[in-house]
Amino acid sequence: MKSEGAALGLRERKKQATRAALAEAAVRLAAEHGAENVTVEAISEAAGVSPRTFFNYFDSHDDAFVMIDRGVGERVRRAVREAPASMTALDAVREALATELADVEEQREIWDLRATVLQRSPHLLVRGMGAHMTEELELAETIAERLGAPAFRTAEGERGSRRPGPCAHVPDTSALGLYPRLLAAAGTTAVRVAVEHWCAQGPDASFPDIFRRVFAYLAAGLPEPPADG
């Protein structure tokens, strides 16, 4: 008999496969017809599921085009929390992100199509940026927790309160400390730069090599490369 853990793993893989199929269908349809002309029904039909199933995986129509997957952020944060204590926070973040990006090279066409869709629909780009900013803050909280910082929550369970004045739109994240915020931002930016550079290099480029180089620069403190490099 299969163990309960194995059964849960199989269900999780099936869920990830369904989400991936919906996101791929959405991006392909949007690249061909424009995101504004693609319905939830059309996406669901292309992925072979019902419209009701669509909303089990995405909160809104737009999230499928942006390929927002809350599960990715949750897995990255769990990996950072569970990384060996001997590993630096930067290395823990790098390895957690590398695991999630292990199959990027197999999905090059979808990444390229997604970039086209976002360029044609600026509101989707804004939607994606907002989601990534939320995940970045949550990653910073996890890094702060790993480093022994106090929990960053108010008594009501909300994140830090907002302040009056010109920074009223910015949550007060001072309790997190500067390093966790900077590392989370640097990590997510490093992924974006690595993906963009890899896409620009053509089909022969190795994403894992580019990803490791980007994080090696961060670990070294961003020294200037030699003139011939």
Side-chain angles (χ1 to χ4, degrees):
M1 294 178 63
K2 293 182 179 179
S3 68
E4 182 179 353
L8 287 173
L10 178 59
R11 286 199 293 271
E12 182 60 30
R13 289 194 295 274
K14 287 183 176 179
K15 288 173 61 178
Q16 290 181 27
T18 300
R19 178 186 288 274
L22 284 165
E24 179 174 342
V27 169
R28 289 188 182 280
L29 288 169
E32 182 176 357
H33 304 290
E36 66 280 5
N37 299 315
V38 178
T39 64
V40 168
E41 289 74 16
I43 296 169
S44 302
E45 181 179 357
V49 301
S50 69
R52 177 176 295 182
T53 298
F54 176 94
F55 289 107
N56 289 336
Y57 293 91
F58 297 101
D59 292 335
S60 74
H61 169 268
D62 287 352
D63 285 356
F65 304 121
V66 182
M67 297 169 64
I68 294 174
D69 184 353
R70 295 286 296 170
V72 171
E74 292 169 1
R75 291 192 296 272
V76 167
R77 294 191 295 274
R78 182 170 61 249
V80 170
R81 281 193 296 269
E82 296 176 354
S86 59
M87 185 178 287
T88 66
L90 174 60
D91 287 348
V93 170
R94 181 197 65 214
E95 294 307 308
L97 293 171
T99 297
E100 286 300 322
L101 294 166
D103 62 350
V104 163
E105 290 190 328
E106 300 172 10
Q107 301 181 22
R108 185 185 191 101
E109 181 189 7
I110 297 302
W111 280 86
D112 287 343
L113 289 176
R114 176 176 175 266
T116 299
V117 171
L118 295 182
Q119 289 168 3
R120 293 175 180 172
S121 304
H123 76 283
L124 294 178
L125 185 60
V126 172
R127 174 74 183 93
M129 289 175 62
H132 288 308
M133 288 176 65
T134 297
E135 290 193 350
E136 182 182 299
L137 179 55
E138 291 174 346
L139 177 58
E141 293 175 7
T142 300
I143 294 168
E145 176 187 337
R146 178 181 173 86
L147 297 176
F152 178 55
R153 299 285 174 178
T154 66
E156 295 78 18
E158 300 281 339
R159 287 195 175 87
S161 60
R162 298 180 184 274
R163 296 161 292 176
C167 293
H169 65 291
V170 180
D172 182 359
T173 59
S174 57
L176 279 176
L178 185 60
Y179 181 83
R181 290 297 313 277
L182 181 59
L183 177 52
T188 53
T189 299
V191 169
R192 177 177 59 80
V193 171
V195 170
E196 290 176 352
H197 188 72
W198 167 66
C199 288
Q201 291 299 300
D204 295 331
S206 167
F207 178 77
D209 288 348
I210 294 172
F211 179 87
R212 296 287 174 178
R213 283 171 55 199
V214 169
F215 272 87
Y217 280 133
L218 290 180
L222 289 178
E224 292 188 14
D228 61 353

